[in-house]
Amino acid sequence: MAVQQPFGALAQGRSLAASVDSALRTVDVEVAGVARLRKSLEGALGQSFAEAVDLIGDAPGRTIVTGMGKSGHIARKIAATLASTGTPAFFVHPAEASHGDLGMITTKDVVLALSWSGETAELRDLVNYAGRFRVPLVAITSNGRSALGKAANVALVLPTVSEACPHGLAPTTSTLMQLALGDALSVALLERRRFTPLEFKRFHPGGKLGGVLTLVRDVMRSGEAAPVVRTGTGMADALIMMSAKSLGCVAVADASGGLIGVITDGDLRRHMGPQLTDMTVDAVMTRAPQTISGEELAATALSEMQANVISALFVVDQGPEIGVVHMHDLVKLGVA
């Protein structure tokens, strides 16, 4: 006889299936919207997009990003992305602009305004201000014939799409398209400015991004902290050095201080025996070890360690100093 499932379990199963079906429908509708955005960029929107990139990129001042409601939330994110990728930008709330914050906008700036309908009443004062003082205006809207679209120097007209909301009311697909276009603007401007990873680090000193973008010279151990012995050193002294520095390796330098070899735990295992402490480092070391420049990124050091299955890299640049960067240091930094 078949065992019937409890009613609660059946209801929970139906609820799970319905929730997943809803999520899939939402994603499908939004993916279709982004696909239409991509198609538009291959046509007329692409020309306007290029003009907007030039207008923003050539502006001597900042990019003032604005929008109301859900468009305002997207505008804040776009402003943050622009600012972090080399295009000075900040968000101005359109309602606050009408009560004094217009003073934040100068004639050297460019305004990027978001409004799906293009008829957002709260934007009126800011748009009029931009026109009066000849502040360039870029609009992101679905209606090029709207008040905002007509006032803009460049109108980025998004294709009309269905919202993922079953009632067609809650901004969902539309805000995703605004966000995608804002990201596209930010990346295009980043590439136009030839914005480098090191410049990116200047704005992202904290967290994992800051760790990944740290230079090797900023995290390496050098001087007394680096395990370095001279050629001809006995292995007994080299073992004491390895133990004192706790990195599982020691560099071997020539008379002028240049790196000529390295001794690792693997080298010790290969030469393990009663005669080991009677040998010199020259007989045990691995010659031509893997090295890295102090000007490389910590993320590059991590990649090389992983590719070569090693836990440390010795750092050599111009000059006699030998440094070392260890996997443990990268873990502490948050790179690994």
Side-chain angles (χ1 to χ4, degrees), residues 18-323:
S19 296
V20 173
D21 286 344
S22 175
L24 292 172
R25 287 194 302 271
T26 297
V27 171
D28 285 343
V29 173
E30 294 192 342
V31 166
V34 173
R36 287 202 62 189
L37 172 61
R38 187 186 189 285
K39 186 75 173 176
S40 297
L41 281 166
E42 293 176 339
L45 178 57
Q47 178 62 40
S48 299
F49 181 86
E51 293 174 6
V53 170
D54 287 340
L55 188 61
I56 296 172
D58 291 337
R62 298 78 45 86
T63 301
I64 313 302
V65 193
T66 188
M68 194 70 190
K70 303 300 185 294
S71 292
H73 293 305
I74 300 301
R76 287 181 185 274
K77 192 276 179 185
I78 293 173
T81 303
L82 286 168
S84 70
T85 53
T87 301
F90 63 88
F91 174 81
V92 170
H93 194 287
E96 297 295 340
S98 299
H99 294 273
D101 283 0
L102 285 173
M104 296 179 177
I105 306 171
T106 75
T107 56
K108 294 181 179 181
D109 299 330
V110 57
V111 172
L112 176 62
L114 282 69
S115 170
W116 186 253
S117 69
E119 300 292 350
T120 303
E122 290 85 353
L123 285 173
R124 186 177 301 118
D125 289 341
L126 197 154
V127 170
N128 289 340
Y129 180 89
R132 178 183 176 188
F133 292 99
R134 299 176 182 252
V135 180
L137 173 64
V138 177
I140 296 180
T141 179
S142 68
N143 186 0
R145 298 180 180 178
S146 63
L148 177 62
K150 291 178 180 178
N153 298 85
V154 179
L156 301 177
V157 182
L158 299 173
T160 54
V161 293
S162 300
E163 300 286 11
C165 167
H167 308 299
L169 298 175
T172 45
T173 313
S174 57
T175 49
L176 178 62
M177 291 167 64
Q178 289 175 329
L179 181 60
L181 191 61
D183 285 343
L185 277 171
S186 299
V187 173
L189 286 161
L190 177 154
E191 293 175 347
R192 185 181 190 270
R193 296 176 187 275
R194 293 182 174 86
F195 194 71
T196 67
L198 294 183
E199 290 174 299
F200 194 83
K201 175 179 166 47
R202 189 181 308 146
F203 305 127
H204 299 78
K208 190 172 181 67
L209 269 178
V212 169
L213 295 170
T214 295
L215 294 179
V216 168
R217 62 175 163 77
D218 295 327
V219 69
M220 73 178 189
R221 306 187 191 195
S222 59
E224 291 297 321
V228 181
V229 297
R230 295 287 182 172
T231 179
T233 300
M235 279 302 301
D237 290 331
L239 287 170
I240 293 173
M241 174 66 76
M242 288 181 69
S243 177
K245 304 305 180 183
S246 302
L247 294 178
C249 60
V250 63
V252 181
D254 60 20
S256 63
L259 180 69
I260 59 171
V262 61
I263 298 173
T264 67
D265 291 334
D267 296 310
L268 295 181
R269 286 193 294 271
R270 283 189 289 273
H271 292 85
M272 188 60 67
Q275 77 285 0
L276 178 61
T277 54
D278 297 327
M279 302 170 70
T280 66
V281 292
D282 304 73
V284 178
M285 70 182 183
T286 296
R287 296 182 181 274
Q290 293 286 330
T291 62
I292 192 169
S293 167
E295 299 305 311
E296 293 285 353
L297 293 173
T300 302
L302 174 63
S303 178
E304 292 196 17
M305 289 182 198
Q306 292 172 331
N308 292 285
V309 197
I310 55 179
S311 60
L313 280 171
F314 283 93
V315 185
V316 291
D317 288 301
Q318 293 181 353
E321 184 179 58
I322 298 174

